Amino acid sequence: MAAPAPKQEELQPHAVRDQLPSVSYCLTSPPPWPEAVLLGFQHYLVMLGTTVIIPTALVPQMGGGNEEKARVVQTLLFVAGINTLIQSFLGTRLPAVMGASYTFVAPTISIILAGRYSGIADPHEKFVRIMRGTQGALIVASTLQIIMGFSGLWRIVVRLLSPLSAAPLVALVGFGLYELGFPSVAKCVEIGLPQILLLVALSQYIPHLVPLLSTAFERFAVIMSIALIWLYAFFLTVGGAYKNAAPKTQFHCRTDRSGLVGGAPWISVPYPFQWGAPTFDAGEAFAMMAASFVALVESTGAFIAISRYASATPCPPSVMSRGIGWQGVGILLGGLFGTANGTSVSVENAGLLGLTRVGSRRVVQISAGFMIFFSILGKFGAVFASIPGPIIAAIYCLLFAYVGMAGVGFLQFCNLNSFQTKFILGFSLFMGLSVPQYFNEYTSVAGFGPVHTHARWTSWFWLYLLLCTVEFDIVAFALHRFKVYRHGCDIVFWCYVLLKSPSSSFYCSFGTLKSCKLRDAFPCAHVQFNDMINVVFSSKAFVAGAVAYFLDNTLHRRDGTVRKDRGHHFWDRFRSFKTDPRSEEFYSLPFNLNKFFPSF
């Protein structure tokens, strides 16, 4: 006997939702205070991973020891707490944790390897000098986001985003970090793999097996699993399981190998210019600005994912631009305090919103309080910061997946039966994975990126324009102030000889410049130019987002049917702050500041 025909409502696809349903606490609905405090501490634990991993990798290369590493971690935490509060009150007002970013690591390494630091014998002096160099580069790089954000330029860019072009960007903001997942778990699989299994069990299976405690397990699975596996790793350490293990295995598996507890002071308050006055180098600043631009794009994708998991409406372009401007201020603070790293949205904390189903703004503000508190009480903060890396990497496997799926979720607004939609989506995702892979493989084999030129035309060109368009006294002061010299040959002296010689007029002779010994005086700007290109095209999210954005806005963008296939009609009412009444509820500034700083 044939089965009965399905009812008509059973054949209907799932309804499209502007706001994600089944969220326990949305952006403006805070949970009870005890629960909010515990959730805030959980966000603090999650953001510690990147906060510790980056200084652990960079500080030893800079010449610092455990004390310097502990101070950098403290400073990163302190600045992250301030930036998170600023973003939640004055920026996008989304529950976004602002923390360290892997995007800024490459230009920082370029600064570490700069030739002017190679002759410094004292490790601490070398560390301080390199730190001051990174400070100067971050201060200059922050101006890019500050200008693009507060001037409204980024608002113009975001207005042209559609669900189709946002999907690859947001998806690879999460999925593109797969290298930080299981490869890091496998560095100590005996604690990393149990962490993954336990977290999946606590957050996905046990809530259905024990319905009375389902809420507790869903919201606090991260804290529970970390506590249990950390205790398990501690017993392995004190029990001598790694006594005869290789040094690399001991570093990743033992709970007493971070060096942070011994190096951290009991009480210390980070302050601006604690390492000394920043130093500036033009090439390093441009390389850091490239990283700042990539971080800008990646943070835009993370903000979009956060708005989804906070059950808010899509972030209006003016609000997004405002948030980017304040993120630039956060990078500026990092340069002033000396964090050796820039600021962007913490992707793992964005994923935690999806795992806990709590998108409350208050929870993230509480987590910022924990960041500032434990950055001042160094010893106590160092205890939590000493959690083994494979445990954190195991958590990343779930949290990054949630962020990636936020991007995939935007495809509900698109017509996936359209071949043009398939082309834009598939091609952008493929190129977002393939292009960075090419750059990474080339660099790992050759030791430098594909864009590697030995020509110094960039150095000569910019110096030529500088000397030909500005009064010499101002140029000389700037060059002297920024320490632009190399191999003991002061550029100011050669500029003075060139411009003050009787045979030279005010307009410059490029041939004279080229014949001058500025070849040795001017820094290797071509190296930083290569770094700029490598940083940009090594970001999976940036490449995928750029390709999708270009194709979406150039292929039949004025055709009404095509626009509908790409989901434009769903987002049209959110392209202005005032066209949807819910924007006022979610994104308006506190204390009636909208009267003085209106959104458009």
Side-chain angles (χ1 to χ4, degrees), residues 42 46-47 174-175 199 222 309 347-356 392-405:
Q42 188 168 239
V46 168
M47 68 85 58
F175 294 145
L199 181 57
V222 171
Y309 283 132
V347 179
E348 52 268 34
N349 289 88
L352 186 60
L353 300 176
L355 180 65
T356 60
I392 302 297
I395 299 172
Y396 287 168
C397 292
L398 268 72
L399 302 186
F400 291 159
Y402 267 103
V403 176
M405 284 309 300

Side-chain angles (χ1 to χ4, degrees), residues 150-180:
F150 291 135
S151 69
L153 290 174
W154 196 242
R155 180 186 69 214
I156 298 173
V157 176
V158 176
R159 280 178 63 87
L160 298 177
L161 270 176
S162 71
L164 180 59
S165 56
L169 170 63
V170 179
L172 289 195
V173 164
F175 294 145
L177 297 174
Y178 59 83
E179 296 170 345
L180 303 176

Side-chain angles (χ1 to χ4, degrees), residues 137-263:
L138 286 171
I139 290 172
V140 175
S142 68
T143 59
L144 175 71
Q145 294 194 20
I146 291 174
I147 292 173
M148 294 197 70
F150 291 135
S151 69
L153 290 174
W154 196 242
R155 180 186 69 214
I156 298 173
V157 176
V158 176
R159 280 178 63 87
L160 298 177
L161 270 176
S162 71
L164 180 59
S165 56
L169 170 63
V170 179
L172 289 195
V173 164
F175 294 145
L177 297 174
Y178 59 83
E179 296 170 345
L180 303 176
F182 198 81
S184 297
V185 170
K187 292 177 180 177
C188 188
V189 72
E190 57 266 34
I191 62 175
L193 189 58
Q195 172 66 41
I196 292 180
L197 297 176
L198 184 60
L199 181 57
V200 171
L202 292 177
S203 63
Q204 307 300 323
Y205 288 95
I206 293 183
H208 297 284
L209 298 176
V210 189
L212 292 177
L213 299 175
S214 61
T215 300
F217 283 111
E218 284 177 348
R219 295 180 189 167
F220 305 110
V222 171
I223 286 184
M224 295 178 186
S225 59
I226 286 179
L228 292 174
I229 301 301
W230 193 12
L231 184 63
Y232 165 63
F234 173 76
F235 285 139
L236 288 178
T237 300
V238 298
Y242 306 112
K243 185 176 181 180
N244 299 318
K248 185 177 180 181
T249 302
Q250 294 194 33
F251 177 79
H252 291 294
C253 298
R254 294 180 67 98
T255 57
D256 57 357
R257 280 293 186 269
S258 68
L260 293 174
V261 178

Side-chain angles (χ1 to χ4, degrees), residues 331-411:
I331 297 175
L332 175 62
L333 291 176
L336 295 177
F337 279 82
T339 58
N341 194 261
T343 297
S344 69
V345 179
S346 173
V347 179
E348 52 268 34
N349 289 88
L352 186 60
L353 300 176
L355 180 65
T356 60
R357 302 183 187 182
V358 176
S360 170
R361 183 187 296 132
R362 179 182 293 176
V363 169
V364 168
Q365 291 170 344
I366 293 173
S367 75
F370 279 114
M371 297 174 210
I372 296 173
F373 177 78
F374 284 115
S375 68
I376 295 174
L377 299 180
K379 290 288 186 186
F380 295 99
V383 171
F384 295 109
S386 62
I387 298 173
I391 294 179
I392 302 297
I395 299 172
Y396 287 168
C397 292
L398 268 72
L399 302 186
F400 291 159
Y402 267 103
V403 176
M405 284 309 300
V408 175
F410 289 117
L411 296 178

Side-chain angles (χ1 to χ4, degrees), residues 465-512:
L465 290 182
L466 184 67
L467 295 180
C468 293
T469 56
V470 187
E471 287 291 335
F472 170 74
D473 292 336
I474 300 176
V475 176
F477 171 78
L479 295 174
H480 179 71
R481 176 68 181 83
F482 293 166
K483 310 294 185 186
V484 185
Y485 56 83
R486 194 174 186 188
H487 302 309
C489 183
D490 194 355
I491 190 172
V492 176
F493 169 76
W494 289 108
C495 291
Y496 184 85
V497 170
L498 175 65
L499 290 182
K500 295 301 181 180
S501 62
S503 60
S504 66
S505 57
F506 182 73
Y507 73 92
C508 297
S509 167
F510 185 70
T512 308

Side-chain angles (χ1 to χ4, degrees), residues 514-544:
K514 195 170 182 180
S515 64
C516 186
K517 289 194 175 181
L518 288 172
R519 177 182 292 106
D520 296 323
F522 202 74
C524 294
H526 70 283
V527 175
Q528 281 78 25
F529 175 75
N530 297 330
D531 291 338
M532 291 170 62
I533 301 300
N534 292 338
V535 166
V536 168
F537 289 101
S538 294
S539 169
K540 301 175 181 65
F542 179 88
V543 174

Side-chain angles (χ1 to χ4, degrees), residues 19 26-28 88-89 91-94 311-319 322 361 573-600:
Q19 296 174 252
C26 72
L27 180 60
T28 55
S88 65
F89 279 105
T92 59
R93 306 221 65 207
L94 289 168
S311 193
T313 55
C315 192
S318 59
V319 174
R322 186 178 72 198
R361 183 187 296 132
R573 64 182 179 276
F574 303 113
R575 300 193 191 283
S576 175
F577 184 81
K578 297 184 182 298
T579 51
D580 190 281
R582 292 170 292 180
S583 296
E584 185 76 23
E585 174 190 357
F586 293 131
Y587 301 110
S588 61
L589 293 172
F591 315 118
N592 290 323
L593 289 176
N594 265 13
K595 295 180 179 179
F596 307 99
F597 306 100
S599 299
F600 303 99

